[in-house]
Amino acid sequence: MRRALITLGIGLGLVGSTVVSAPALAASPVTVPLATSVSAAQQAATFWLADGAANLKSATPYAVQTVVHGERTSTAVVPDGKPGVVAPVQGVASPEGKLPTTSGKVFFVGADGQPHWCTGTAMQSNYRNLVATAGHCVYDTQRAGAALDKWVFVPGYSEGTTPSGLYVGKQAVAHYDFGVYADYDRDFAFVNVYNGVVSSSSGVLTDTGRLVDSVGGLGFRYNQPPSSSVDVFGYPAGPNPDGTGRPYTGQTLEQSTGSTFPVRLSDLAADQAIGVDSPFPGEGSLGSSWLYHYSKDSGTGYLNGITISVSDTDGDGRYDTGVSPYFDGEVAAVYSAAGNFWTGPIA
């Protein structure tokens, strides 16, 4: 299914990172324009922050590809090179349950013209301006070749607040095979955001600085075996899949912990999907971060997966599994490319 790749030997080379091994393959990263001018970024920020952030508060969880059919498989994932690690940047653990301030919501306008959201997370990079999320929370898969409109990231989002500012996306870097071939092994994206802003009562935007300087940045792991335990952070919305717990509101960051394992999907083109034991419903969970070695004290960990959907893998009628692409050297090459774009302020 996957087209031939050209070996270019691109290393990560990120400031403040520790690289165990550079990815052996270059993944043909592609740039997806978002708000490419300062004026367009200012308009996007105003759209979300005007009238007491009314559009943020009225946005609904993105309901595209929230559920897939899958089953656990004994087929092992196959790394495409040596394992590698990029070190995180010290974060700040939030006082509410020691949750990471790197997590937040990404907001955008969908093909239906309405405001929606997924989950996203801040990543370490050269210019400290990078957000990771699902590819279909950037690409508008309902309109060929289009990006979702007015894309922004709000780290630490809770009950309609923007505690660390709002960060407008300038561009995304994604894998060629996702946009062209709908290869869901490549359903991920890394978005370069401008400096954050807050808005006064009169609508004047004030700069809050670079994203990772404000909230910290996750590290990154690739070509690793499935983990015995990862922490999943996201904003699930809807009934608890176990049928007994409280419904998720989507208004506050939630955490689940589980082991990962290979899964076989019957309705998405993906050769190496990974599952995690997680009770999150699909809506709101798209883009959730899977963190290896998350530390409550430092608020940091290593991104090793991103939720692209959920599944009922044991056939009991309840969604029990989050699904992610396997993070291999091609994911690392896209991440590396995204880390080298400067953005700057809009206010």
Side-chain angles (χ1 to χ4, degrees):
M1 178 178 66
R2 205 165 296 152
R3 62 193 179 85
L5 297 168
I6 302 172
T7 301
L8 296 179
I10 297 176
L12 290 180
L14 295 175
V15 172
S17 65
T18 301
V19 181
V20 174
S21 175
L25 299 175
S28 296
V30 293
T31 300
V32 183
L34 299 173
T36 55
S37 69
V38 169
S39 61
Q42 291 171 338
Q43 291 172 12
T46 299
F47 173 83
W48 293 107
L49 295 174
D51 301 321
N55 283 323
L56 289 181
K57 295 173 182 176
S58 66
T60 58
Y62 201 40
V64 173
Q65 191 194 293
T66 54
V67 176
V68 293
H69 296 91
E71 60 182 3
R72 298 191 185 211
T73 176
S74 59
T75 303
V77 295
V78 180
D80 59 8
K82 295 181 179 179
V85 177
V86 178
V89 171
Q90 180 77 31
V92 180
S94 69
E96 299 85 9
K98 295 286 188 178
L99 299 175
T101 53
T102 48
S103 291
K105 284 187 178 182
V106 299
F107 292 88
F108 47 82
V109 175
D112 58 0
Q114 299 301 309
H116 299 289
W117 50 267
C118 289
T119 297
T121 193
M123 298 288 296
Q124 156 67 325
S125 69
N126 278 342
Y127 296 106
R128 300 195 167 202
N129 64 357
L130 204 60
V131 177
T133 191
H136 73 283
C137 292
V138 174
Y139 276 105
D140 188 344
T141 56
Q142 297 179 304
R143 295 181 298 166
L148 294 162
D149 194 26
K150 296 181 173 61
W151 198 101
V152 300
F153 177 57
V154 180
Y157 180 91
S158 179
E159 304 289 348
T161 64
T162 58
S164 299
L166 177 144
Y167 298 77
V168 180
K170 181 176 183 178
Q171 65 179 23
V173 181
H175 195 291
Y176 180 89
D177 287 5
F178 181 68
V180 175
Y181 298 111
D183 181 354
Y184 281 86
D185 283 318
R186 306 304 172 203
D187 188 359
F188 54 83
F190 299 96
V191 180
N192 300 107
V193 295
Y194 294 96
N195 286 12
V197 292
V198 294
S199 180
S200 69
S201 58
S202 60
V204 176
L205 299 177
T206 301
D207 187 275
T208 62
R210 298 186 302 180
L211 173 63
V212 173
D213 291 340
S214 298
V215 303
L218 296 180
F220 182 76
R221 296 174 84 244
Y222 61 95
N223 277 335
Q224 304 283 347
S227 301
S228 59
S229 179
V230 297
D231 292 294
V232 181
F233 292 96
Y235 288 84
N240 192 304
D242 69 7
T244 61
R246 62 179 174 82
Y248 292 107
T249 67
Q251 292 303 305
T252 56
L253 184 64
E254 303 284 350
Q255 176 182 4
S256 70
T257 302
S259 59
T260 65
F261 44 85
V263 294
R264 180 184 297 111
L265 305 179
S266 60
D267 47 4
L268 279 185
D271 295 329
Q272 294 204 105
I274 296 293
V276 62
D277 287 315
S278 174
F280 290 172
E283 292 191 0
S285 295
L286 303 179
S288 293
S289 58
W290 299 16
L291 302 192
Y292 179 75
H293 277 184
Y294 174 66
S295 167
K296 291 182 178 181
D297 294 331
S298 67
T300 59
Y302 297 84
L303 187 72
N304 199 215
I306 290 178
T307 299
I308 63 171
S309 195
V310 301
S311 184
D312 168 22
T313 58
D314 61 9
D316 67 354
R318 298 172 179 171
Y319 304 126
D320 50 52
T321 300
V323 177
S324 170
Y326 174 63
F327 274 23
D328 59 10
E330 294 197 48
V331 185
V334 175
Y335 167 57
S336 175
N340 290 308
F341 290 105
W342 179 83
T343 47
I346 65 172

